[in-house]
């Protein structure tokens, strides 16, 4: 009987060490992964994307929403270097990620990120979008068919959806590093700033 209990205890201990090896070294893994991506994304974008996919998969296992969102956004930007569908792919990945998020603040941030992406896309492609006939009462599945008024409404709705979430006034922005870089000179927000402060600050910056 003692031998049996001894085997059971050893089994649980080995499981504990195994879990620690997976999750205990997470911070080190993320730091090294981001360092790797930053070093090679210009010269070897496809290799950077592979590392970002690995990073995102690890974040999904841990339900680390800041890392998941950061990986998706960075992957979308890096993929622009070799893929024409990078923007749409990034949007779809963000939508899929949102279905997994149970944290209210992270969910709100995902809405703002989508609004920000749509704004940048519409500005970059304004010469094409402004020529399209306004569509009323319908939103085509293909973003390449969206008219200017659809972009405007989508951006407005997503931004309001993010700002209406009470949780963003309680959660500190620094909890969403590396997606959010806390730099008083760059972002005009201090170390104790809430996620709400960051989003409002970003909106003001884009409106200038």
């Amino acid at each position: 009987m003692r031998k049996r209990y001894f085997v059971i205890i050893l089994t649980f201990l080995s499981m504990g060490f195994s879990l620690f090896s997976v999750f205990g070294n997470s911070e080190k893994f993320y730091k090294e992964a981001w360092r790797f991506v930053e070093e090679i994304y210009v010269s070897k974008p496809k290799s950077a994307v592979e590392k970002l996919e690995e990073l995102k998969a690890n974040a999904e296992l841990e339900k680390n929403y800041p890392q998941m969102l950061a990986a998706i956004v960075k992957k979308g930007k890096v993929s622009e270097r070799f893929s024409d569908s990078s923007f749409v792919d990034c949007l779809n990945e963000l939508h899929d990620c949102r279905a997994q998020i149970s944290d209210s603040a992270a969910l709100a941030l995902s809405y703002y990120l989508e609004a920000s992406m749509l704004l940048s896309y519409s500005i970059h492609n304004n010469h094409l979008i402004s020529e399209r006939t306004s569509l009323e009462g319908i939103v085509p599945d293909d973003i390449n068919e969206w008219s200017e008024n659809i972009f405007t409404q989508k951006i407005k709705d997503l931004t309001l959806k993010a700002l209406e979430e009470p949780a963003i006034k309680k959660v500190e922005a620094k909890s969403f590093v590396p997606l959010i870089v806390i730099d008083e000179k760059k972002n005009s927000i201090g170390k104790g700033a809430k996620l709400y402060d960051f989003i409002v600050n970003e909106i003001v910056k884009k409106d200038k």
Side-chain angles (χ1 to χ4, degrees):
M1 182 67 72
R2 287 183 179 178
K3 184 177 180 181
R4 183 182 174 188
Y5 282 129
F6 182 69
V7 171
I8 292 173
I9 290 170
L10 281 178
T11 301
F12 276 110
L13 283 173
S14 65
M15 286 174 64
F17 282 120
S18 177
L19 287 172
F20 177 79
S21 67
V22 174
F23 297 110
N25 292 324
S26 289
E27 186 176 350
K28 181 181 178 183
F29 166 76
Y30 291 127
K31 283 184 178 179
E32 291 179 351
W34 282 111
R35 187 182 300 117
F36 178 81
V37 169
E38 291 301 322
E39 288 175 353
I40 70 162
Y41 79 90
V42 174
S43 59
K44 298 179 180 178
K46 290 185 178 181
S47 295
V49 165
E50 289 176 2
K51 176 57 71 173
L52 286 165
E53 288 174 346
E54 180 186 347
L55 193 156
K56 177 173 170 280
N58 195 77
E60 285 178 342
L61 283 174
E62 298 181 0
K63 296 188 184 302
N64 188 325
Y65 303 129
Q67 292 288 352
M68 283 172 65
L69 292 171
I72 290 170
V73 172
K74 186 66 174 181
K75 181 182 170 185
K77 291 179 180 177
V78 175
S79 296
E80 289 176 357
R81 296 177 175 273
F82 60 85
S83 173
D84 293 332
S85 63
S86 60
F87 180 76
V88 174
D89 292 341
C90 185
L91 276 183
N92 289 335
E93 199 165 358
L94 184 60
H95 293 162
D96 292 340
C97 169
R98 190 176 292 151
Q100 303 177 48
I101 295 176
S102 57
D103 178 78
S104 298
L107 195 59
L109 182 57
S110 77
Y111 290 127
Y112 172 70
L113 289 173
E114 184 174 354
S116 182
M117 288 167 60
L118 288 173
L119 177 60
S120 297
Y121 179 88
S122 63
I123 292 173
H124 184 71
N125 295 279
N126 181 255
H127 60 293
L128 296 174
I129 297 171
S130 60
E131 294 178 357
R132 297 172 190 164
T133 303
S134 294
L135 299 174
E136 301 293 341
I138 183 173
V139 178
D141 293 331
D142 187 352
I143 197 171
N144 293 309
E145 297 177 9
W146 286 15
S147 54
E148 192 170 12
N149 63 306
I150 292 178
F151 277 99
T152 300
Q153 192 60 49
K154 279 279 188 181
I155 293 166
K156 178 182 176 182
D157 291 345
L158 287 164
T159 301
L160 287 176
K161 201 166 186 177
L163 291 174
E164 287 171 355
E165 172 53 56
I168 65 174
K169 293 184 178 181
K170 301 175 183 178
V171 176
E172 290 194 1
K174 68 179 182 181
S175 64
F176 284 89
V177 172
L179 190 61
I180 295 175
V181 178
I182 303 300
D183 185 332
E184 292 184 23
K185 293 181 180 178
K186 259 189 174 182
N187 295 331
S188 300
I189 58 173
K191 293 182 179 179
K194 305 302 182 186
L195 187 56
Y196 176 85
D197 301 320
F198 169 78
I199 293 176
V200 170
N201 185 67
E202 288 294 299
I203 292 171
V204 171
K205 280 165 59 179
K206 286 180 171 62
D207 197 40
K208 288 181 179 179

